[in-house]
């Protein structure tokens, strides 16, 4: 077991051992909201590209990988099949960009909420993040 930012992180072997997770947090929600997002930085410490292909969260049974695109002059959120983390580089999942979308929330996300998240990579390895804290995001 590794410790990072006071989070318990468990990983299977292979690709997951080449990834460092920085500053993960879940966005707090207003009452009765059915969606939120998880943001973090994925740092690839290897010499080859790595793909995040799926995520699962304790907050809901429905979790998707999303990004924002410009279409007809409007910014739109879309589901994407994967996030490629280039060799010796990082992918930042942040508001207004790529993120892990949580749909059909089981409960509101409050300052006390802590979430678990499992990340799945293209070699069938995984990283489990435990007790991700929530954060409010001012617009």
């Amino acid at each position: 077991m590794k410790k990072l930012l006071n989070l318990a992180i468990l990983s299977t072997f292979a690709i997951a051992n080449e990834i460092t997770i920085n500053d993960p947090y879940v966005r707090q929600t207003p009452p009765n909201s059915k969606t939120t997002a998880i943001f973090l930085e994925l740092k690839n410490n290897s010499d080859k590209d790595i793909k995040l292909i799926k995520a699962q969260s304790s907050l809901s049974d429905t979790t998707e990988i999303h990004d924002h695109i410009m279409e007809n002059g409007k910014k739109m959120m879309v589901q994407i099949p994967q996030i490629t983390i280039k060799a010796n580089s990082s992918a930042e999942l942040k508001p207004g960009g790529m993120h892990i979308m949580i749909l059909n929330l089981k409960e509101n996300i409050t300052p006390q909420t802590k979430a678990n998240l499992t990340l799945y990579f293209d070699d069938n390895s995984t990283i489990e993040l435990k007790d991700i804290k929530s954060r409010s995001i001012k617009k």
Side-chain angles (χ1 to χ4, degrees):
M1 184 185 303
K2 301 175 187 177
K3 285 286 237 182
L4 178 66
L5 300 171
N6 295 324
L7 296 172
I9 298 179
L10 307 171
S11 65
T12 60
F13 303 103
I15 284 178
N17 291 328
E18 301 292 339
I19 295 287
T20 304
I21 309 292
N22 295 313
D23 196 26
Y25 63 96
V26 59
R27 182 181 219 161
Q28 292 173 13
T29 60
N32 303 314
S33 178
K34 293 295 179 192
T35 63
T36 192
I38 295 178
F39 306 105
L40 50 87
E41 179 191 31
L42 297 162
K43 185 170 185 329
N44 180 352
N45 302 304
S46 77
D47 292 330
K48 62 180 179 177
D49 292 354
I50 296 175
K51 294 177 182 171
L52 173 68
I53 59 169
K54 182 180 169 185
Q56 285 184 311
S57 171
S58 61
L59 302 172
S60 171
D61 294 329
T62 309
T63 305
E64 300 174 350
I65 301 171
H66 280 204
D67 199 357
H68 285 85
I69 61 168
M70 290 298 289
E71 188 172 291
N72 298 325
K74 295 181 183 179
K75 194 171 196 176
M76 299 175 47
M77 183 173 50
V78 294
Q79 183 178 1
I80 58 175
Q82 64 196 20
I83 294 173
T84 301
I85 309 113
K86 296 288 186 185
N88 296 304
S89 190
S90 299
E92 187 175 3
L93 283 62
K94 62 183 181 179
M98 295 181 294
H99 58 279
I100 297 169
M101 191 74 193
I102 312 297
L103 305 166
N104 304 316
L105 286 170
K106 296 176 183 176
E107 59 189 53
N108 289 330
I109 308 303
T110 68
Q112 294 75 35
T113 300
K114 291 186 180 174
N116 297 334
L117 178 70
T118 304
L119 302 174
Y120 296 84
F121 298 92
D122 59 340
D123 74 336
N124 295 318
S125 64
T126 62
I127 295 176
E128 291 182 48
L129 300 159
K130 304 282 186 187
D131 297 327
I132 299 170
K133 293 182 179 179
S134 66
R135 187 182 300 170
S136 68
I137 300 176
K138 307 272 191 256
K139 287 191 175 186

